[in-house]
Amino acid sequence: TPVIEFRDVELTYPGPPAVHALRPCDLRIDSGEFITVMGPSGSGKSTLLNIAGLLDAPTRGRYLLNGIDTRAMGASRLAALRGEHIGFVFQAFHLLPHRSALENVELAMLYQSVPRGQRRLRATAVLERVGLGHRATALPTQMSGGERQRVAVARALVGEPSLLLCDEPTGNLDSDTAASLLALLDTLHRDGMTLVVITHDAQVARHGQRTVTIRDGVLSEPARQRTGAA
Ligand code: ADP
Ligand code: ADP
């Protein structure tokens, strides 16, 4: 079963004027794939990621997440599915400023059925996994950009998602720090994580096995790397 399957998915903002943010497309992403999404500003990258992340519903077509047809699901069912399957990493790290790294990660488990006593153990383990075991008590303001983004990755991973969606994860990082964040994503990929990463940066795109390009809402990818042709 693919992790992500778009069947003739389309998203149009009604307007007027109507905006065809994503033209009808098929997309299949299998478990363990590392895929990058490239395209100019306004081309539809966030729209694609928001649909994949169950933050927006397509106006037409079907989106199956791990084989589950998400069409016509209500908000609470979608939220539950999102929490169970998906981790998000954004360009701006979105950490709570007055909470430590450990607390930021623990808070991500608040609405999941993780027993309170388990939260600290799991948060500690996942901070260690991203190389920040020694920074657990630090506040975001005491951390570098690279460290903050690692905390954000830890927070995304703590729910044990099958899919990690990253929107310009290196957009606020200098090139050395970006390289180290990409090395972390490579490690997650080697460990079997499915990754979808939006980027402007061709350097970042080289890390993925597959690149999808979007232009004016039209999704395309080089034929030679296409996997499941629809
Ligand atoms: P990208 O992430 O590549 O910058 P987006 O997916 O954010 O592109 O946007 C795709 C298109 O949809 C753009 O033309 C954008 O202006 C438009 N758009 C995004 N959100 C809305 C909205 N809420 N209402 C109307 N148009 C929108
Ligand atoms: P990374 O490569 O993970 O971003 P750096 O080598 O840039 O880490 O930073 C090392 C240390 O310097 C960090 O532990 C942090 O305490 C401190 N530091 C770096 N940049 C900043 C910053 N912008 N604000 C606060 N502390 C910083």
Side-chain angles (χ1 to χ4, degrees):
T1 316
V3 176
I4 288 177
E5 189 175 359
F6 282 11
R7 293 186 191 162
D8 208 21
V9 159
E10 173 177 12
L11 193 147
T12 303
Y13 291 105
V19 177
H20 299 283
L22 190 62
R23 299 285 186 171
C25 65
D26 294 313
L27 177 66
R28 177 186 161 135
I29 300 176
D30 288 316
S31 180
E33 281 198 274
F34 184 166
I35 179 166
T36 55
V37 179
M38 291 197 77
S41 181
S43 59
K45 302 183 297 298
S46 300
T47 301
L48 174 71
L49 207 77
N50 289 345
I51 294 171
L54 300 173
L55 299 169
D56 273 339
T59 40
R60 255 195 44 201
R62 283 173 190 253
Y63 170 33
L64 285 78
L65 172 62
N66 286 313
I68 302 164
D69 191 341
T70 62
R71 195 159 72 163
M73 272 188 191
S76 66
R77 180 80 185 91
L78 287 173
L81 201 62
R82 194 185 308 129
E84 187 183 339
H85 293 264
I86 302 173
F88 291 94
V89 176
F90 303 100
Q91 174 171 358
F93 320 121
H94 296 308
L95 301 176
L96 296 172
H98 304 296
R99 303 289 191 149
S100 69
L102 186 66
E103 288 167 331
N104 267 281
V105 176
E106 281 180 323
L107 283 166
M109 287 177 277
L110 208 56
Y111 299 105
Q112 296 177 350
S113 51
V114 182
R116 189 181 300 187
Q118 287 262 320
R119 288 187 205 142
R120 179 134 307 187
L121 290 172
R122 276 176 60 171
T124 302
V126 77
L127 279 174
E128 273 163 16
R129 186 170 174 201
V130 303
L132 284 182
H134 62 298
R135 300 291 278 154
T137 60
L139 296 173
T141 49
Q142 297 166 325
M143 305 179 100
S144 68
E147 288 175 324
R148 286 182 220 184
Q149 193 59 300
R150 280 168 187 269
V151 174
V153 171
R155 179 184 53 192
L157 291 175
V158 78
E160 296 175 356
S162 54
L163 171 64
L164 197 61
L165 299 178
C166 309
D167 195 347
E168 297 277 3
T170 61
N172 282 342
L173 304 179
D174 63 55
S175 57
D176 284 351
T177 312
S180 117
L181 198 271
L182 288 168
L184 172 60
L185 297 184
D186 285 337
T187 302
L188 299 177
H189 176 225
R190 271 199 302 278
D191 291 346
M193 181 60 69
T194 309
L195 290 151
V196 180
V197 178
I198 286 186
T199 185
H200 274 101
D201 186 347
Q203 195 84 351
V204 174
R206 264 197 286 274
H207 284 255
Q209 302 162 291
R210 233 175 113 190
T211 298
V212 164
T213 303
I214 303 195
R215 193 168 283 274
D216 296 331
V218 178
L219 195 144
S220 63
E221 67 180 298
R224 61 175 172 76
Q225 60 170 13
R226 207 172 279 151
T227 53

